[in-house]
Each structure stands twice: as structure tokens, then as C-alpha cells.
Amino acid sequence: MTAPLLSLTWTDHLTGRRGHLVVDRLVRGVCSGGLRMREGCTLDEVTGLARGMSLKEALHYDPAARYVPLGGAKGGIDCDPRDPEAYGLLVRYLRAVRPYVESCWTTGEDLGLSQDVVDRAAAEAGLVSSIQAVYPLLDDERAARERLADAFAVEVDGIGLDELVGGCGVAESVLTALDRAGAPYAGTRVALQGFGTMGGATARFLARAGLTVVAVADVKGTIADPAGLDVEELLAARDAHGTVDRGALRPGFAELPSDAWLSAEAEVLVPAAVSYAIGPREQERITARWIAEAANMPVLPEAEELLHARGVSVLPDVVVNSGTNAWWWWTLFGDIGADAGEAFAHTRRSMRALVERVLARAESGGTTPRQAAHALAEQRLAAVAERFGHHR
Ligand SMILES: NC(=O)c1ccc[n+]([C@@H]2O[C@H](COP(=O)([O-])OP(=O)(O)OC[C@H]3O[C@@H](n4cnc5c(N)ncnc54)[C@H](O)[C@@H]3O)[C@@H](O)[C@H]2O)c1
């Protein structure tokens, strides 16, 4: 793999904790990639995620659209987001990497951080916005910023649009795979790891499509009911970190260990929390037919090989969870307006087309969906580079 364009590690002078920034590549001088905060976050992890962002951007390349993919990047801070020091650390990290945010790195929420917190910390660090580097690429900066701000203010049944579009994309990926296999939605069971931004929204869209959510794991353990959980009740019982308050739920569910979601009797598994959740040992326990990677890098390569060999289809992160990132840019560049209906319709259409294409390519080439997605992304990266130049 080619080395990234830029890779840095910062050490906080007060706590000694570390933060990383990796820019995989730039397109028109700009790159995109969220900022995560978790205990144990490493430079290797951030490097892999930055590469994934380049692919994720490229996969949504449509020569006829106003949004042209950016390069890929990622930031990561090694700290538990619930640590009392976390916010101060975030502000100091953003101050340290401010020249990059000002000139080339557009960022936003990722694991452990919400957009509100990133925005507040960015302002405190003296930044105009966490995506200000893209402003020079806009035709009408003021109108574009207003449109995005309006879109962020949209809520649907108590959840912000920005926290829903990603899960809308994950859910549509699952539905596309079910449709290709001729599997009905009703009676199809789902188990999720993670009930934050991605997991929560994915569960809502799948439940509304008629699927049954039978298990949800958060940082405290797995909540399960083979007859089906009430997703809206769970959503209403979440705190800002995506932890479900068990005391706020009606009795009748089972509380199982944190890894119980893996072996839940379900057709679909949605890892939507941490990276590296499914290794060779964990995969042995899986009876599902599809795994939709809402999280980044949840399935290890050795596990994926074993799963593929026994007919379990892993729908890859670069495709499945690309909806949030694409929505920001579709909205900012003006492909869609600040409207939930328009956002969901565009997300569904784009994700369905992409997943169809990836699954068809995997089937005809006899590869995994991930190999097919990477081949498609490489083709599109080449097309973007042809149009705007090579900037690695
Ligand atoms: N938020 C986005 O827009 C977005 C977009 C693309 C990909 N992702 C990826 O999706 C994943 C989740 O991101 P998010 O923004 O939803 O995070 P979040 O912080 O909103 O939620 C994380 C959820 O995972 C749970 N969790 C954490 N550690 C766990 C563990 N060890 N076992 C079980 N549950 C655990 C938490 O309790 C919480 O429910 C990450 O890999 C992230 O990179 C997020």
C-alpha cells in the first residue's frame, strides 16, 4: 500500500495522551475524514481509516454531480470519551492541528464524539468550522453554509438528520442484499453491536422496513428479546454516548454478556461500534447470513476469509457506512437541499445503486464484496485523479 501523504502524532503537554492525524490523499487540495476518540486509538488504526476514507469518497464519484469526491483522512485521540479530561484534550488537539483544519482537513464526528461536541471544541480552538477547508471549493459559500446549517437543524422523530443519514445508508445496503437474495423483510432478524449514531439509526430504519431487531449490544452488555425489541423505546432510553438506560425500559428483555449479540439467532448482524470486533474466534459463533459493517473495520481479514468460505456475506464498511460523509457533501455542494425526505431518497438511491454494483461485481468475479468494492473505488480514484491531478 502506498504511504499516506501526511501522518502525525501529537502528545498533549498536560496529560501525555496522544492524538493522530493521517491524510491519505488530497483532491483539489482538500481531504475529508472524521475524528474519533477512544482509549487505545493507534496511529495504525487511523492510517487504515484514512485510506478507507479515500475509497469511500471515490465510490460516490458521479461525473454529473456537483459534489466531487475529496481525498481521505482521519483523526484519532487516545482517550475514553467519558473521561473528565476528554473535552479539554479535544480542544488542545484541535488547536495543535489547526493549520491542517484551516488549510486542507475537513472533519466531523466519529466514534466517541458527537458533532455538537466537535463544533464546540473547534470554536474554542479558534476555528471557523471543522470543514472550513472546503469553503474555497464552493460556488456560493454563504448559500452552501446556510444550506448545511439548515440541514443540521432538521430532526425526524427526535433524532437529528445528521445522525440518521448514515444509518439510512446502512439499512438500505441490508435491504438491497435481501432483495438480491429474494429474502422477505418481515421475519428477518437483526442483531447490532453499538447503539449510538450509526447503530441507533440503522435499527430505526430496519425496524421501519419490517425487520425484527432481536439484540442490541452497547458498552454495558447485550439487550435481547427473540420476539423483537421496541427500537423506539431503546432510542428514547439512550444517553449522549449511546448507552441505553436499562431502568427506563419495560421489563421482558434479557440482559446478556457484551459479546452475546454475535451468536444471536439472526439473519443480519450489524457491527456498529468498535473496530476489530470480529476475529477468527468470534466468527465461529456467527450464524447470520449477512454482516453489514456500519462500524469501520469491525471484521478482521482472516475472519472475513472464513466467513466468505462458508457463505456469509460481509457488506464492507467503505460502501455500507459511506452515507453520512456523502450526505454532508451532497448538501454542501448543492446536490440536495436541507430536507429529510430529499436526503433519505438520495441516500437510498445512491446506496442501492452502489451496493447492487458491488454485489454484482463480486458475484461475477467470484470475489468478496470488499474486493469488488475496492476494485470499483480504485477505478473511480483513477477517474478523479485523471480529472483533477494526482495529489498524494
Ligand atoms: N457517526 C458517523 O457518522 C459514522 C459514519 C461512518 C462510520 N462510523 C463508524 O461507526 C462506528 C460507530 O460510530 P458512532 O458514531 O455510531 O459511535 P457512537 O459513539 O455514537 O456510538 C458507539 C456505540 O457503541 C457502543 N460501544 C462502544 N464500545 C463497545 C463495546 N466494546 N461493545 C459493545 N458496544 C460498544 C456504545 O455504547 C455506543 O452505543 C465507528 O466505527 C465509526 O467509525 C460512524
Side-chain angles (χ1 to χ4, degrees):
M1 196 188 286
T2 325
L5 179 70
L6 169 90
S7 171
L8 64 84
T9 294
W10 159 85
T11 306
D12 180 36
H13 69 288
L14 288 183
T15 61
R17 289 179 178 278
R18 291 180 166 199
H20 313 284
L21 166 61
V22 175
V23 174
D24 182 64
R25 70 168 65 209
L26 300 174
V27 174
R28 297 193 290 172
V30 186
C31 57
S32 167
L35 173 59
R36 64 168 43 191
M37 182 181 272
R38 76 166 193 98
E39 184 88 57
C41 181
T42 64
L43 180 60
D44 264 3
E45 172 184 342
V46 177
T47 305
L49 292 163
R51 175 70 187 150
M53 282 306 299
S54 288
L55 302 179
K56 223 173 267 188
E57 283 277 335
L59 278 173
H60 283 282
Y61 180 45
D62 170 3
R66 303 178 66 161
Y67 153 48
V68 175
L70 309 174
K74 201 79 175 186
I77 301 173
D78 180 358
C79 179
D80 184 326
R82 292 162 301 174
D83 188 305
E85 282 175 344
Y87 182 73
L89 185 67
L90 172 63
V91 174
R92 293 192 293 281
Y93 168 87
L94 285 171
R95 265 192 206 123
V97 299
R98 185 172 145 179
Y100 300 101
V101 182
E102 283 173 344
S103 60
C104 65
W105 177 35
T106 65
T107 191
E109 70 162 54
D110 191 68
L111 181 77
L113 293 173
S114 69
Q115 191 58 36
D116 286 353
V117 172
V118 173
D119 285 345
R120 196 149 42 90
E124 219 169 298
L127 289 156
V128 173
S129 135
S130 69
I131 57 158
Q132 67 190 76
V134 79
Y135 292 165
L137 298 184
L138 302 170
D139 293 338
D140 182 345
E141 179 186 324
R142 211 167 66 101
R145 288 176 63 178
E146 264 176 35
R147 189 164 52 240
L148 191 64
D150 289 348
F152 265 88
V154 174
E155 273 199 4
V156 181
D157 298 332
I159 303 180
L161 180 55
D162 61 310
E163 304 220 326
L164 286 170
V165 280
C168 173
V170 178
E172 195 63 23
S173 305
V174 170
L175 300 181
T176 307
L178 293 179
D179 288 342
R180 278 185 71 83
Y185 299 170
T188 293
R189 297 162 298 178
V190 188
L192 301 105
Q193 183 199 39
F195 204 62
T197 305
M198 292 301 271
T202 303
R204 173 185 273 187
F205 282 99
L206 287 178
R208 290 188 178 183
L211 283 75
T212 306
V213 174
V214 293
V216 165
D218 65 6
V219 76
K220 283 190 178 164
T222 302
I223 298 169
D225 185 347
L229 294 159
D230 180 340
V231 170
E232 292 301 319
E233 187 192 28
L234 290 169
L235 289 172
R238 276 190 311 184
D239 71 5
H241 298 288
T243 312
V244 176
D245 174 4
R246 275 60 173 170
L249 302 178
R250 278 172 293 153
F253 60 89
E255 283 232 54
L256 305 173
S258 29
D259 58 353
W261 68 283
L262 273 173
S263 48
E265 278 188 30
E267 287 68 39
V268 179
L269 286 193
V270 181
V274 293
S275 299
Y276 321 129
I278 302 174
R281 302 248 332 249
E282 287 78 17
Q283 72 80 28
E284 285 174 10
R285 301 174 50 191
I286 294 174
T287 57
R289 162 81 182 77
W290 293 276
I291 300 175
E293 292 187 321
N296 285 310
M297 305 193 293
V299 181
L300 286 163
E302 310 87 283
E304 186 166 355
E305 248 176 64
L306 295 164
L307 288 161
H308 182 66
R310 62 185 179 89
V312 182
S313 186
V314 178
L315 308 174
D317 50 3
V318 284
V319 173
V320 164
N321 71 22
S322 61
T324 318
N325 184 68
W327 168 80
W328 278 66
W329 305 135
W330 287 327
T331 308
L332 194 72
F333 284 90
D335 289 304
I336 56 173
D339 177 82
E342 220 179 307
F344 295 150
H346 198 78
T347 302
R348 287 189 170 116
R349 210 168 36 242
S350 306
M351 294 303 299
R352 185 164 280 270
L354 194 52
V355 173
E356 283 280 1
R357 191 152 183 167
V358 164
L359 292 180
R361 187 172 181 143
E363 228 168 78
S364 63
T367 69
T368 62
R370 189 184 315 276
Q371 286 163 332
H374 283 206
L376 182 63
E378 291 298 341
Q379 253 176 13
R380 292 188 174 173
L381 274 176
V384 173
E386 182 77 11
R387 188 166 156 200
F388 296 103
H390 293 262
H391 296 285
R392 276 204 97 192

